């Protein structure tokens, strides 16, 4: 990595007559994707990684910096790289959303992303964005405060990145391609991992568990990343409380807890005080499981790493395990934790909750299936949908089609509400809604204030927690609850004072979630469930935010080297049968 000469960026922070002038920097990274052998759980496999590392390299910046990342694809799969939670103002060309903002970087090709860090501060992450390539192609992003500024909490003595991941003992991308062809269910992982290692509770893993050494009497910052393919995740450290101070690159009102829960794709900043007797303590996590056990099993691995104090003590005894780690299906613990998330909401880090909503949407998130009546037998294809629409990738990316006014690649009629209203959370063993497969987008005027109520449905008796994510925008989470959303009663419970400011939020199983945001980032932006299982089946749509009235509120011109759409999208299934 090299660093270019700094150029001045004026960040004016006024307290009385004081003005700070902050130097922003430009950084350069090269990401080389190639296959490499890794051994876990007694088995060796070849997998696609960046720069020979798993997890991949960490990007370090200060708020306001710009990063250029040249991605060289020497692997066997076409892919893109997405910068999760980064707003990318006016710059959808570098968002890295496959078949939405760009086509794939094919094997043997390269593409340079320009990643602009504007309002983010804390921890985010980057990952591949085609099929399930992100399972092995991902890494952390650390965004420090602007030069001359400090954290809104005492500066920690040190910090540690912990990336939670999913491990398969085989090349899961090959399996996913077959699943996309047949429409069947995705595989269950073989283990969960922390910084690439399963930990002491898995076969052939005890000597390889990730270790973090600390000194007694200090305060450390832990940067947590949920990079799992499908799961929300509980995490705790034996004997130590956690002080949550940030989430998704935004600060929170600090609160102390004995565990945390991260939605799929979320990042979290927590402080830990090393005030226990010198020894070894497990840092452990397990899945928060909300699906129906009748249909799917799940990975019961307890992923673990070890926090160990420096100094003299008995190292022969086993580390302590966190007794406060919730059980796999502990809905109450997950809900209690989420309700404690509140924005810091101070003069240095203000909030701006939209109060003049101009667009209201009510979006159902469902598991679906299409039944195929062949001449000799009947079969079905699993789908997922938003408002009964299961997304299909176009043959060229939506951004190119929109920017160049090309017709035939998408339609601008994604509905503001579902086609049918019924008891969405009742036991619904049959799918009678007949989902429609299409490429439908929602168009917003620049500056619109948008409220979305997401409603989970129990179609096929298969309601599950969904991690809802919007590219190019962050949003305020006003409220959540179980059951069907009540438009009279539930808005009275909204938090309009200090709601958390997120890019990824949990839609509760058999429940609802309300968010608001201002559509002030012109471009083409995906909105979807982050969980890989639901995303590849179509729980996705696109928000197009139109240009504003001047150059500063309009999409930037495209770079000259955008990847071309040379091949038909791999996500398209062979069984393209209309559900109408």
């Amino acid at each position: 990595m090299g660093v270019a000469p700094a150029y001045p960026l004026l960040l004016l922070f006024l307290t009385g007559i004081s003005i700070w002038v902050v130097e922003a920097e430009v950084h350069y990274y090269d990401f080389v994707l190639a296959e490499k052998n890794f051994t876990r759980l007694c088995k060796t496999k070849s997998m696609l990684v960046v720069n020979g590392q798993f997890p991949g390299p960490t990007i370090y910046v200060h708020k306001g910096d710009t990063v250029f990342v040249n991605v060289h694809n020497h692997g066997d799969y076409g892919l893109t790289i997405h910068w999760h939670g980064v707003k990318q103002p006016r710059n959808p060309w570098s968002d890295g959303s496959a078949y939405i903002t760009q086509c794939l970087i094919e094997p043997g090709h390269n593409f340079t992303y320009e990643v602009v860090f504007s309002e983010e501060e804390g921890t985010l992450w980057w990952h591949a964005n085609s099929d399930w390539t992100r399972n092995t192609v991902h890494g952390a992003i650390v965004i420090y405060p602007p030069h001359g500024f400090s954290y809104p909490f005492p500066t920690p003595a040190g910090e540690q990145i912990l990336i939670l991941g999913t491990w398969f003992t085989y090349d899961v991308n090959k399996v996913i391609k077959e699943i996309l062809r047949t429409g069947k269910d995705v595989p269950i992982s073989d283990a969960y991992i922390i910084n690439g290692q399963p930990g002491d509770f898995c076969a052939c893993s005890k000597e390889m568990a990730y270790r973090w050494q600390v000194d007694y009497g200090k305060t450390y910052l832990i940067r947590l990343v949920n990079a799992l393919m499908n799961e929300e995740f509980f995490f705790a450290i034996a004997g130590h409380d956690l002080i949550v101070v940030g989430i998704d690159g935004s600060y929170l009102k600090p609160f102390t807890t004995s565990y945390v829960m991260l939605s799929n794709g979320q990042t979290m900043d927590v402080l830990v005080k090393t005030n226990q007797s010198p020894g070894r303590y497990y840092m452990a996590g397990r899945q928060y499981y909300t699906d129906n056990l009748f249909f799917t099993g799940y990975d019961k691995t307890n992923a673990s790493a070890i926090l160990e104090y420096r100094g003299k003590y008995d190292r022969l005894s086993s580390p302590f395990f966190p007794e406060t780690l919730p059980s796999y299906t502990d809905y109450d613990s997950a809900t209690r934790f989420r309700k404690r998330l509140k924005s810091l909401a101070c003069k240095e880090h203000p909030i701006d909750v939209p109060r003049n909503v101009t667009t209201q949407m009510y979006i159902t998130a469902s598991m679906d299936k299409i039944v195929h009546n062949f001449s000799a037998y009947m079969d079905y294809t699993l789908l997922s949908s938003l408002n009964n629409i299961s997304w299909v990738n176009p043959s060229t990316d939506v951004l190119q089609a929109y920017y160049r006014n090309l017709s035939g690649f998408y339609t601008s009629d994604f509905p503001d509400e579902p086609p049918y209203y019924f008891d969405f959370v009742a036991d619904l063993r049959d799918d009678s809604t007949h989902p429609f497969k299409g490429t439908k987008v929602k168009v917003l005027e620049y500056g619109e204030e948008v409220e979305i109520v997401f409603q989970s449905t129990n179609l096929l008796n298969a309601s599950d927690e969904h991690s809802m994510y919007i590219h190019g925008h962050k949003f305020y989470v006003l409220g959540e609850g179980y059951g069907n959303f009540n438009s009279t009663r539930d808005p009275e419970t909204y938090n309009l004072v200090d709601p958390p400011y997120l890019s990824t939020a949990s839609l509760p199983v058999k429940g609802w979630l309300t968010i608001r945001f201002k559509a002030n980032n012109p471009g083409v932006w995906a909105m979807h469930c982050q969980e890989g299982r639901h995303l590849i089946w179509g729980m996705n749509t696109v928000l197009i935010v139109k240009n504003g009235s001047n150059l500063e509120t309009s999409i930037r011109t495209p770079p000259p080297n955008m990847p071309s759409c040379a091949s038909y999208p791999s996500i398209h299934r062979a069984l393209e049968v209309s559900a109408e």
Side-chain angles (χ1 to χ4, degrees):
M1 182 195 74
V3 179
Y7 61 88
L9 172 69
L10 295 182
L11 296 178
L12 305 183
F13 175 66
L14 304 179
T15 55
I17 59 172
S18 299
I19 299 179
W20 282 266
V21 179
V22 180
E23 294 290 320
E25 295 180 340
V26 179
H27 309 263
Y28 296 89
Y29 287 79
D30 282 296
F31 279 11
V32 179
L33 290 118
E35 295 281 328
K36 184 178 178 180
N37 286 341
F38 289 83
T39 301
R40 304 285 189 275
L41 307 181
C42 316
K43 296 181 179 179
T44 299
K45 70 170 181 177
S46 178
M47 64 191 206
L48 190 66
V49 295
V50 172
N51 297 355
Q53 303 175 38
F54 180 70
T58 300
I59 291 177
Y60 292 94
V61 296
H62 288 264
K63 182 179 179 180
D65 287 357
T66 297
V67 173
F68 289 91
V69 183
N70 192 358
V71 177
H72 308 262
N73 188 1
H74 296 170
D76 298 326
Y77 302 99
L79 48 69
T80 64
I81 302 293
H82 172 59
W83 320 94
H84 195 104
V86 181
K87 184 175 181 178
Q88 291 280 47
R90 302 176 49 230
N91 187 32
W93 307 104
S94 285
D95 182 61
S97 184
Y99 291 100
I100 293 174
T101 62
Q102 71 170 95
C103 291
L104 305 184
I105 307 170
E106 298 290 353
H109 293 74
N110 72 295
F111 176 65
T112 299
Y113 292 92
E114 180 183 358
V115 190
V116 181
F117 294 91
S118 55
E119 62 179 37
E120 304 82 19
E121 193 171 327
T123 306
L124 295 174
W125 66 303
W126 59 265
H127 59 79
N129 195 242
S130 176
D131 296 346
W132 275 26
T133 49
R134 72 176 170 94
N135 182 58
T136 60
V137 179
H138 60 252
I141 302 174
V142 173
I143 310 144
Y144 295 113
H147 293 286
F149 291 78
S150 60
Y151 298 114
F153 47 82
T155 301
E159 61 181 56
Q160 176 66 54
I161 298 169
L162 297 178
I163 299 179
L164 312 171
T166 312
W167 188 263
F168 297 87
T169 56
Y170 48 87
D171 186 345
V172 73
N173 291 294
K174 293 179 180 178
V175 175
I176 292 300
K177 287 188 179 298
E178 177 64 14
I179 285 169
L180 289 170
R181 188 186 70 81
T182 62
K184 302 308 180 186
D185 207 346
V186 301
I188 298 172
S189 56
D190 294 300
Y192 296 124
I193 51 180
I194 298 178
N195 284 0
Q197 295 291 344
D200 284 0
F201 304 101
C202 296
C204 304
S205 303
K206 192 173 182 64
E207 299 304 318
M208 302 300 293
Y210 185 81
R211 286 169 167 76
W212 175 33
Q213 290 193 327
V214 298
D215 293 316
Y216 176 81
K218 302 290 182 66
T219 299
Y220 293 89
L221 173 62
I222 299 177
R223 301 180 181 274
L224 285 167
V225 177
N226 183 346
L228 281 76
M229 283 309 304
N230 293 298
E231 297 81 12
E232 298 182 302
F233 218 62
F234 289 118
F235 175 85
I237 302 178
H240 294 73
D241 284 333
L242 303 173
I243 305 170
V244 182
V245 295
I247 187 170
D248 282 358
S250 295
Y251 292 119
L252 295 171
K253 285 183 170 66
F255 65 92
T256 301
T257 177
S258 61
Y259 68 93
V260 299
M261 195 282 287
L262 293 93
S263 298
N264 189 260
Q266 266 187 348
T267 56
M268 196 169 293
D269 296 321
V270 300
L271 299 174
V272 59
K273 296 182 178 181
T274 51
N275 54 10
Q276 299 301 301
S277 299
R280 297 190 299 156
Y281 299 83
Y282 279 124
M283 303 182 288
R286 61 169 61 119
Q287 178 179 357
Y288 168 44
Y289 183 81
T290 61
D291 207 344
N292 192 323
L293 282 172
F294 179 80
F295 296 110
T296 61
Y298 63 98
D299 186 345
K300 297 181 176 63
T301 302
N302 288 317
S304 65
I306 299 173
L307 182 153
E308 55 185 23
Y309 285 71
R310 295 184 179 93
K312 296 181 179 180
Y313 53 86
D314 179 14
R315 297 179 184 272
L316 297 179
S317 59
S318 298
F320 299 99
F321 190 83
E323 298 178 353
T324 59
L325 190 65
S327 66
Y328 306 96
T329 58
D330 192 340
Y331 294 6
D332 291 339
S333 288
T335 301
R336 282 197 304 270
F337 178 80
R338 289 198 301 261
K339 289 188 174 181
R340 299 186 70 184
L341 303 175
K342 301 180 187 299
S343 287
L344 186 57
C346 62
K347 183 166 65 174
E348 294 81 4
H349 300 279
I351 65 170
D352 185 18
V353 181
R355 300 300 182 105
N356 301 305
V357 175
T358 55
T359 294
Q360 288 186 309
M361 303 180 73
Y362 186 72
I363 299 178
T364 54
S366 305
M367 288 299 302
D368 303 290
K369 66 180 179 181
I370 293 178
V371 177
H372 308 290
N373 190 359
F374 299 100
S375 58
Y377 64 96
M378 294 183 66
D379 201 356
Y380 68 90
T381 299
L382 287 171
L383 295 176
S384 58
S385 66
L386 296 175
N387 273 355
N388 221 43
I389 307 298
S390 185
W391 177 266
V392 175
N393 280 341
S395 55
T396 194
D397 61 276
V398 178
L399 177 57
Q400 287 280 1
Y402 170 68
Y403 187 80
R404 304 189 187 284
N405 198 27
L406 304 176
S407 61
F409 295 98
Y410 66 89
T411 58
S412 302
D413 56 347
F414 181 83
D416 288 346
E417 59 182 342
Y420 316 102
Y421 281 85
F422 49 91
D423 185 354
F424 294 118
V425 300
D427 288 341
L428 303 165
R429 297 186 181 276
D430 294 322
D431 181 2
S432 58
T433 60
H434 304 297
F436 176 77
K437 297 170 74 172
T439 308
K440 297 179 180 290
V441 310
K442 172 68 176 178
V443 179
L444 298 168
E445 298 292 332
Y446 181 87
E448 283 203 62
E449 296 189 353
V450 183
E451 178 178 290
I452 300 177
V453 176
F454 291 105
Q455 174 70 58
S456 177
T457 80
N458 199 30
L459 293 175
L460 306 181
N461 199 15
S463 182
D464 193 3
E465 196 117 328
H466 301 293
S467 297
M468 304 311 299
Y469 173 50
I470 302 181
H471 293 228
H473 293 78
K474 295 181 73 171
F475 50 79
Y476 293 98
V477 175
L478 303 190
E480 66 168 73
Y482 291 104
N484 293 303
F485 177 76
N486 185 303
S487 60
T488 301
R489 180 185 65 245
D490 291 328
E492 296 179 357
T493 67
Y494 287 172
N495 176 10
L496 298 173
V497 177
D498 53 4
Y501 190 46
L502 309 179
S503 59
T504 309
S506 294
L507 168 58
V509 57
K510 298 183 183 180
W512 57 270
L513 168 77
T514 300
I515 68 170
R516 283 187 193 171
F517 66 95
K518 190 169 184 176
N520 58 4
N521 193 11
V524 172
W525 309 105
M527 179 173 71
H528 58 81
C529 178
Q530 176 65 20
E531 295 168 23
R533 180 172 181 255
H534 300 150
L535 180 56
I536 63 172
W537 287 337
M539 194 174 287
N540 183 28
T541 189
V542 166
L543 304 177
I544 293 181
V545 180
K546 296 167 70 173
N547 287 339
S549 59
N550 53 47
L551 185 64
E552 288 71 28
T553 57
S554 299
I555 299 176
R556 292 168 49 179
T557 56
N561 60 337
M562 293 297 297
S564 61
C565 294
S567 61
Y568 198 62
S570 61
I571 197 171
H572 278 207
R573 306 173 184 88
L575 298 174
E576 290 293 332
V577 180
S578 174
E580 293 185 294

